[in-house]
Amino acid sequence: MVPVEHYFVLATVMFFLGICGALFRRNLIMVLMSIELMLNAVNLVFIAAGRGNSSLDGQIMVVFVITVAACEAAVGLAMVIALFRKYGTVNTDFLRILRG
Amino acid sequence: MTALIALLMSVSKVWKGTAILKGFNLISLIVAFGFALNNFVTGGLGVQIYLSGGYLSSRLGDLGQVLILLISIVVTQMISISYLSSKFNRGEIVALFHMVIAGMLALVGTDDLVTFFVGLEMASIGMYALVGYTKPTKISQEAAVKYFVLGSIAAAILLFGFGFIFAVTGSLRISEIGAAIAKVALNPWARLGVIFTLAGIGFKLALVPFHMWTADAYEGAPTGLTVFMATAMKVMIVIGAIRLFDSNLSEVKSVWLPALGFMAAASLIFANIMALAQQSLKRLFAYSSIAHSGYMALSLAAMGGVSSAHQVPSLIFYLIAYVVISLGVFAIIMWLENERCENLMVDDMAGLAKRYPLTATSMAVFMFALGGMPPTMGFISKFYVFNAALSNNMMALVVVAAIGSTISLYYYMRLIVKMFMLEPNPALENLIKPVKSKWTVAIVGFCVVVVLAGGTFAPETFMRLAKSTTVQSE
């Protein structure tokens, strides 16, 4: 059996890829996908940890995380659509009224 | 109680009539407030409907619920009398608003990491939507997108921290984590978990270096929601942070205390310096709120020490003072705003004392309080926080906080100078024409009385209130 730590390392790598994507990508859709990647890395941690601790709590948490991620995606995509209607693009470089 | 609000929320979707909805919104909040107050006073003997098994009956959570509902009622009333009323009193907006409140109530009352996360996300996701949707202009949508992206990253970071904490302790109960994590403090995964949790909290509390979203979100959001973010959200996060870090993670404080201290110091210096240059009033108060988060983080850091009998009350006292002052400030700002003049500048306040002497005087009281000048609650609350930090040998942090506090006096005083010593700008006299409103007078008057009373003859009363939260929370 693969030790639990291996899953943790994989999840950490996934998570940092997600952070980099969310912070450096200029396309809002890509940003949303990166956030999903981060949440999925979290799910992996919870599943692996639940397995390692032989408790079901981890899986319960994952169900909640998936649900919340869906809500987040819904709101996020709604914003993307609203922005696209106003600006005609989903590139975040156009968001520059607020600064300083 | 949370379920009660959720139930009322779904009903409110059906009723679209503005007048009914407005009354309904307020009444449901007041009913919920009655329950929360009853819980707080009787110590949890009242009616309680749990959101999940993780509900913890504690004075701290009850006080948080009372505060959040009180803020909600005041903010609802403030919005209803402003030009935003017709925008805000729509079925879907009110439903979202109640969802946010329900999430906050769930968070402050829970002992379970699952409910903690779900409550946080209910509150945050609702807020993203409210910011962008209440008044869908370009500016508020931009604020919503920035708030959404960074808020979601913050939630994921917090959750990542929870994941590793769960991995090393095997428990999702906040009260059980402390004992379990003490045994594995040197485990690198535990360190990672604690640090990520702290970063997530820092994001939500808007501490430097995780503060990027704050100024944009505060400025872009409609003012009624800015004040809600600045007060209710802060109450929620601070109480959640007390739960997480107070007694439970004190065993591993060598991991998070330096980081929290650094975040507090950075917020105090950086936010105060940034605020010096701001022209927009809302942006100014956004940076001011980051700085005040810094004081709260300082107080939180002071808790990592030996006893919490001293530190938690000082933080609660600071929180109450900050909430009251902010409500007063934003009540005045909202009163001055109208459809054509939404984003007030600092210069717009010039000569306010000539036109509205009473308003300007109240504003000056709030400015003195935010700056921490003696006859107000702001001074006493800072005094308690510094005192608590000093009793824990955090001399360096207190010095930094004192420097930050001195810098902040400049921009608070600048506002007072503008209001009292300059002539009003004639062009603005036609633009800013607030109508008389007895609710604004009531809210501002109440805040002024509390701020002055809390600073002169009644700080003990508030302190006793704050102290009572620690009695049963252990």
Side-chain angles (χ1 to χ4, degrees):
Chain A
M1 192 182 128
V2 187
V4 164
E5 277 74 21
H6 290 207
Y7 290 102
F8 290 169
V9 173
L10 174 65
T12 312
V13 171
M14 263 169 78
F15 189 80
F16 277 99
L17 279 177
I19 284 196
C20 291
L23 291 180
F24 299 125
R25 277 290 183 154
R26 285 281 157 260
N27 189 321
L28 261 183
I29 304 274
M30 292 306 288
V31 172
L32 280 180
M33 284 169 64
S34 305
I35 290 171
E36 292 298 310
L37 186 63
M38 289 163 77
L39 288 174
N40 283 333
V42 171
N43 286 346
L44 190 57
V45 172
F46 272 109
I47 293 279
R51 179 88 180 153
N53 295 330
S54 48
S55 84
L56 277 177
D57 285 356
Q59 299 187 19
I60 294 171
M61 187 73 173
V62 168
V63 173
F64 276 97
V65 173
I66 291 173
T67 319
V68 167
C71 303
E72 226 169 53
V75 172
L77 288 173
M79 278 179 194
V80 170
I81 292 172
L83 274 187
F84 187 77
R85 286 197 184 137
K86 279 228 159 70
Y87 292 88
T89 170
V90 289
N91 195 316
T92 48
D93 286 337
F94 286 88
L95 300 174
R96 56 168 77 180
I97 311 171
L98 296 163
R99 48 178 46 210
Chain B
M1 189 176 53
T2 331
L4 179 79
I5 291 211
L7 190 75
L8 296 177
M9 185 182 87
S10 57
V11 180
S12 74
K13 270 183 182 154
V14 182
W15 291 347
K16 295 257 179 188
T18 310
I20 302 172
L21 193 62
K22 202 191 287 182
F24 174 76
N25 180 6
L26 208 57
I27 287 168
S28 62
L29 285 178
I30 289 171
V31 168
F33 176 68
F35 277 121
L37 199 62
N38 181 34
N39 279 347
F40 181 62
V41 173
T42 60
L45 293 173
V47 182
Q48 282 183 350
I49 305 163
Y50 299 173
L51 186 72
S52 83
Y55 193 89
L56 181 76
S57 175
S58 77
R59 305 277 292 170
L60 185 65
D62 289 345
L63 179 71
Q65 297 188 333
V66 169
L67 272 179
I68 287 171
L69 284 164
L70 188 63
I71 294 166
S72 313
I73 293 170
V74 172
V75 169
T76 310
Q77 197 52 36
M78 271 156 64
I79 294 177
S80 290
I81 54 176
S82 76
Y83 71 97
L84 277 171
S85 177
S86 62
K87 296 266 195 294
F88 184 78
N89 281 308
R90 287 182 288 165
E92 61 273 30
I93 299 281
V94 170
L96 272 173
F97 189 64
H98 281 203
M99 194 186 91
V100 172
I101 296 168
M104 289 175 170
L105 298 180
L107 190 149
V108 296
T110 192
D111 185 40
D112 192 297
L113 285 183
V114 180
T115 318
F116 189 99
F117 168 69
V118 173
L120 180 72
E121 283 300 274
M122 262 170 93
S124 308
I125 293 176
M127 257 345 260
Y128 310 144
L130 277 177
V131 167
Y133 185 55
T134 308
K135 196 165 181 299
T137 53
K138 269 193 176 179
I139 191 166
S140 74
Q141 281 184 350
E142 178 179 335
V145 168
K146 287 180 174 170
Y147 189 26
F148 169 77
V149 170
L150 290 170
S152 306
I153 294 174
I157 288 176
L158 187 68
L159 206 51
F160 200 58
F162 285 175
F164 283 122
I165 288 179
F166 171 65
V168 293
T169 62
S171 170
L172 285 172
R173 281 299 175 99
I174 296 176
S175 49
E176 289 168 9
I177 284 172
I181 208 167
K183 296 175 197 146
V184 286
L186 292 173
N187 185 329
W189 299 117
R191 280 167 192 270
L192 201 62
V194 172
I195 285 295
F196 269 88
T197 307
L198 181 66
I201 292 283
F203 244 116
K204 292 284 178 187
L205 200 54
L207 291 170
V208 176
F210 307 115
H211 66 287
M212 297 84 80
W213 57 274
T214 321
D216 291 344
Y218 278 32
E219 189 186 359
T223 313
L225 297 171
T226 308
V227 49
F228 196 66
M229 275 196 263
T231 53
M233 283 296 224
K234 205 149 273 188
V235 171
M236 169 183 93
I237 298 294
V238 167
I239 295 210
I242 293 175
R243 273 277 159 71
L244 278 178
F245 286 98
D246 173 22
S247 49
N248 302 307
L249 294 182
S250 59
E251 296 292 333
V252 286
K253 64 171 183 272
S254 63
V255 179
W256 58 268
L257 205 54
L260 186 62
F262 166 75
M263 274 153 63
S267 313
L268 287 164
I269 295 297
F270 179 81
N272 280 322
I273 288 176
M274 285 301 283
L276 292 177
Q278 298 308 322
Q279 288 307 313
S280 160
L281 214 49
K282 262 158 66 179
R283 227 178 161 76
L284 176 79
F285 285 115
Y287 280 108
S288 147
S289 99
I290 299 175
H292 283 276
S293 293
Y295 294 111
M296 292 182 208
L298 170 69
S299 187
L300 205 58
M303 255 176 237
V306 272
S307 74
S308 64
H310 200 45
Q311 281 79 8
V312 175
S314 73
L315 179 52
I316 301 280
F317 188 91
Y318 196 94
L319 191 64
I320 296 174
Y322 175 73
V323 162
V324 172
I325 300 166
S326 303
L327 283 179
V329 168
F330 279 100
I332 292 178
I333 295 180
M334 282 179 75
W335 181 63
L336 292 171
E337 278 181 342
N338 57 46
E339 197 77 47
R340 285 173 303 159
C341 187
E342 274 190 289
N343 214 336
L344 287 176
M345 295 289 144
V346 174
D347 292 335
D348 296 349
M349 303 298 276
L352 196 71
K354 289 229 169 55
R355 295 176 66 199
Y356 308 105
L358 218 53
T359 312
T361 314
S362 329
M363 193 75 170
V365 170
F366 296 138
M367 290 302 106
F368 278 124
L370 283 175
M373 300 292 272
T376 62
M377 205 171 171
F379 169 73
I380 303 282
S381 62
K382 268 195 188 129
F383 174 77
Y384 280 137
V385 165
F386 288 0
N387 200 12
L390 277 181
S391 69
N392 256 321
N393 297 322
M394 300 186 143
M395 194 61 197
L397 268 181
V398 173
V399 170
V400 171
I403 294 172
S405 186
T406 319
I407 302 173
S408 75
L409 275 182
Y410 172 77
Y411 58 85
Y412 293 132
M413 292 309 128
R414 183 173 66 138
L415 212 55
I416 295 182
V417 167
K418 283 225 153 84
M419 286 191 301
F420 282 88
M421 297 184 183
L422 296 183
E423 288 299 313
N425 181 354
L428 283 169
E429 282 193 31
N430 295 323
L431 205 55
I432 302 178
K433 273 190 197 154
V435 283
K436 280 208 164 65
S437 145
K438 57 179 188 300
W439 278 108
T440 306
V441 174
I443 293 169
V444 174
F446 173 74
C447 293
V448 169
V449 168
V450 170
V451 166
L452 288 180
T456 49
F457 56 85
E460 280 81 17
T461 315
F462 289 100
M463 205 55 191
R464 217 174 301 130
L465 180 76
K467 275 201 181 113
S468 75
T469 58
T470 53
V471 177
Q472 294 167 359
S473 69
E474 298 306 315

